[in-house]
Amino acid sequence: MNLQNLKLALPKTWKEASRMGGENQVNIRVYHINPLAGIDPKNLQDQPMPSGDPKMNVYKVGIPTPGVRPINDFYKGMKGFIESGLAPADMNMGSLDKLWKGMTETPHAERPGESDMASDIDIVQCADEETARQILKNKALMPMQGFDVPIPGGITAPGLPKNMTMSDYLQSDVLKNALPKEQKEQLKKLQAALKEVKEKIPQVKQTFAQKGVKYGEGKYLGCEAVYMEFPNPDPPPQPKARVSSSKSFSGGGGYGYTGIDPLPKTTRPYSASKKTYLGILFKNFVIDGQLLSAIDSFPPGNTPCYSLSQTKKVTSTTKEGGTVFTDVAIVPLVSDYASEGYFHKEEAEKIYRDLISKLA
């Protein structure tokens, strides 16, 4: 299979920015489009609305949103700061545009303005499954052993012992004698670096042990996988004091509307540790990348939030001196991340499931 021609079946909220590599190895840059990028900013603020009736007040409640925003908001905020005249003298539109271009258009580090995150997917096609499996296993071995790990695929050449490690091979006379003269100096520098790495391994092991960091093998998405496991930095949840539930909400304008439903409380099993997946094996393919490593930290798709498009009207009345006044609040309905298009764990996992199906 020519990996350079592999087409990803991305969800509608994800796009491919670029790719590099060749037939047997490819790195694909993808990004997630924040749903707020397509929302009129005024909808995030409380707004008085025309009613046509002097005895009726109509207000639209600004939509409360999760904290992650499209990075376009950074540019807009900095532009407003510069235009206000309060920015330092060396901060101007020219420097901002240069910074913005570097953030969003750097080749293979692109992060378009409508996105809230960008990441990478790496795929390596090996000669056979045994070689691929050793490459995968080495991802969990090298942090603890450096280059004293098996050579994927092995090496068969006169003068080389069987079952030698990558470190042994890189420091062997066989390799040295096989290299052109101009590359021998580079090899010498590499060998010196390998020696430094080997000397530091005991200290690295001790640090990992103190911090509770472990590397292991398991299963993920139905495939063999290697991972890094570490203690959960968040403490176990504590029982909370009971508080009265109120449906009042004060939006961006501070009008003190009533009628907005509180988000439902969700409970998820607490784990004393967290995992970062370093790679998975499918047939003779090793799949990894920043996106895979980040998935376990993504919120689930059923995380509650408020709808960006669905609303309801909440009406209340008051009587003053025999006159009835009506207040109508237009409030967002309760929804969830998956429905509203925020990035979430299941959607990112689907990208990898679809990828695996393409490699089948």
Side-chain angles (χ1 to χ4, degrees):
M1 175 182 292
N2 188 340
L3 293 179
Q4 185 63 21
N5 298 329
L6 178 70
K7 294 187 181 300
L8 292 179
L10 296 173
K12 64 180 181 179
T13 54
W14 288 79
K15 300 291 182 183
E16 179 177 330
S18 63
R19 64 173 62 193
M20 64 180 182
E23 181 176 352
N24 294 316
Q25 184 170 358
V26 68
N27 179 279
I28 304 174
R29 180 78 170 173
V30 296
Y31 63 95
H32 177 263
I33 301 172
N34 191 299
L36 300 180
I39 298 297
D40 189 332
K42 71 180 183 181
N43 290 334
L44 306 181
Q45 300 293 324
D46 299 338
Q47 305 170 60
M49 307 293 287
S51 68
D53 185 343
K55 293 181 291 185
M56 177 180 290
N57 294 317
V58 180
Y59 299 97
K60 187 174 183 180
V61 173
I63 305 169
T65 60
V68 179
R69 306 292 288 267
I71 62 170
N72 268 337
D73 285 6
F74 167 78
Y75 182 85
K76 294 174 185 176
M78 292 301 297
K79 182 174 183 290
F81 181 47
I82 292 171
E83 292 175 344
S84 72
L86 300 175
D90 61 345
M91 186 181 294
N92 52 50
M93 286 306 301
S95 62
L96 175 61
D97 288 340
K98 183 178 180 180
L99 173 64
W100 182 247
K101 185 175 182 179
M103 289 175 60
T104 60
E105 299 179 22
T106 299
H108 210 64
E110 304 92 340
R111 187 175 175 181
E114 69 267 26
S115 70
D116 49 26
M117 70 161 296
S119 197
D120 298 284
I121 299 171
D122 292 312
I123 313 163
V124 177
Q125 181 175 222
C126 301
D128 51 61
E129 187 171 331
E130 181 181 356
T131 300
R133 180 173 287 107
Q134 191 59 61
I135 289 176
L136 180 76
K137 288 178 177 291
N138 283 354
K139 291 180 181 296
L141 294 175
M142 291 181 74
M144 294 290 194
Q145 299 177 203
F147 286 84
D148 286 328
V149 295
I151 300 173
I155 290 182
T156 55
L160 293 178
K162 294 182 179 180
N163 301 322
M164 72 183 315
T165 66
M166 289 179 63
S167 181
D168 293 335
Y169 175 66
L170 292 171
Q171 297 183 72
S172 68
D173 289 337
V174 172
L175 175 61
K176 179 181 178 180
N177 295 334
L179 288 176
K181 183 178 180 180
E182 58 272 15
Q183 294 183 13
K184 289 183 179 180
E185 188 61 31
Q186 296 179 355
L187 177 62
K188 188 176 180 180
K189 293 179 180 178
L190 175 59
Q191 290 173 341
L194 290 174
K195 184 179 179 181
E196 290 183 12
V197 169
K198 190 169 185 176
E199 291 173 349
K200 292 180 180 179
I201 288 297
Q203 181 181 347
V204 171
K205 288 183 177 180
Q206 182 180 8
T207 300
F208 282 170
Q210 291 173 346
K211 294 184 176 182
V213 177
K214 300 177 182 178
Y215 290 83
E217 301 178 15
K219 288 280 189 178
Y220 186 57
L221 302 177
C223 300
E224 294 179 41
V226 295
Y227 59 83
M228 178 180 71
E229 188 173 15
F230 52 94
N232 190 340
D234 299 321
Q238 299 296 321
K240 294 182 178 180
R242 187 172 182 177
V243 296
S244 60
S245 61
S246 172
K247 291 189 177 183
S248 65
F249 171 78
S250 181
Y255 294 110
Y257 305 116
T258 58
I260 188 168
D261 294 322
L263 294 178
K265 296 185 181 298
T266 57
T267 57
R268 303 185 186 96
Y270 178 81
S271 175
S273 64
K274 288 182 174 291
K275 286 182 179 178
T276 292
Y277 287 95
L278 307 176
I280 57 178
L281 172 72
F282 179 74
K283 294 185 176 179
N284 61 320
F285 297 94
V286 178
I287 306 167
D288 58 11
Q290 296 173 353
L291 182 60
L292 181 69
S293 299
I295 286 179
D296 206 50
S297 66
F298 286 3
N302 65 356
T303 301
C305 64
Y306 289 102
S307 173
L308 297 173
S309 58
Q310 301 297 313
T311 60
K312 69 176 181 178
K313 292 181 179 180
V314 179
T315 302
S316 61
T317 58
T318 57
K319 189 174 182 180
E320 296 182 13
T323 303
V324 176
F325 294 91
T326 303
D327 289 311
V328 178
I330 303 172
V331 301
L333 298 179
V334 171
S335 185
D336 57 48
Y337 277 29
S339 301
E340 299 307 313
Y342 295 108
F343 71 81
H344 57 279
K345 183 175 182 178
E346 293 84 353
E347 189 174 61
E349 287 184 333
K350 186 176 185 300
I351 294 175
Y352 281 92
R353 293 185 192 279
D354 288 341
L355 169 59
I356 291 168
S357 70
K358 291 288 183 68
L359 298 176

